């Protein structure tokens, strides 16, 4: 009876130790993932706010430093596939902004030139 009770307690202890080890392994894995999720969230926020230079820095950091750590997981592959899309969006938006800026400069330079000519004469 005592031996059977002791064996049952030992099995329970082994089962609880396995659970604890699984929990600790899960926490360790999640701690690896959290920086990736944090950087990705910041990236999405910068893109929404049209802050393209910080977004490019975050993309570079994500691609070179964080994704290699978690590369064997499905979500990392999904994030990796979205990087070219972010780069294309940044490229398109910055070219559009540059063209708009140059158009404003062209229009304003005509006005500034006329005003400067008027001041000289």
């Amino acid at each position: 009876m005592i031996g059977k009770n002791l064996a049952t307690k030992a099995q329970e202890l082994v089962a609880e130790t396995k659970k604890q080890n699984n929990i600790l392994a899960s926490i360790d894995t999640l701690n690896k993932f959290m920086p990736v999720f944090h950087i990705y969230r910041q990236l999405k926020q910068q893109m929404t706010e049209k802050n393209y230079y910080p977004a490019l820095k975050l993309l570079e950091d994500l691609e070179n430093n964080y994704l290699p750590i978690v590369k064997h997981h499905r979500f990392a592959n999904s994030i990796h596939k979205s990087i070219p899309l972010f780069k294309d969006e940044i490229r398109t938006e910055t070219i559009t902004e540059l063209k708009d800026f140059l158009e404003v400069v062209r229009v304003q330079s005509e006005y500034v030139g006329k005003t400067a000519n008027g001041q000289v004469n």
Side-chain angles (χ1 to χ4, degrees), residues 55-94:
L56 279 174
K57 298 288 273 180
L58 288 169
L59 266 174
E60 179 183 1
D61 201 23
L62 184 64
E63 191 173 24
N64 296 329
N65 299 326
Y66 291 98
L67 282 180
I69 295 170
V70 295
K71 65 183 172 188
H72 300 295
H73 299 279
R74 244 187 332 224
F75 77 90
N77 189 30
S78 176
I79 291 174
H80 186 70
K81 287 180 181 177
S82 70
I83 288 175
L85 300 174
F86 283 123
K87 288 180 180 179
D88 285 343
E89 182 180 344
I90 290 170
R91 183 180 303 110
T92 302
E93 290 294 322
T94 53

Side-chain angles (χ1 to χ4, degrees), residues 17 19 27 39-40 45 51 54 58 60 72 78 80 90 105:
T17 302
K19 284 181 189 177
I27 289 171
I39 295 290
Y40 189 74
Q45 182 178 357
N51 295 328
L58 288 169
E60 179 183 1
H72 300 295
S78 176
H80 186 70
I90 290 170
V105 167

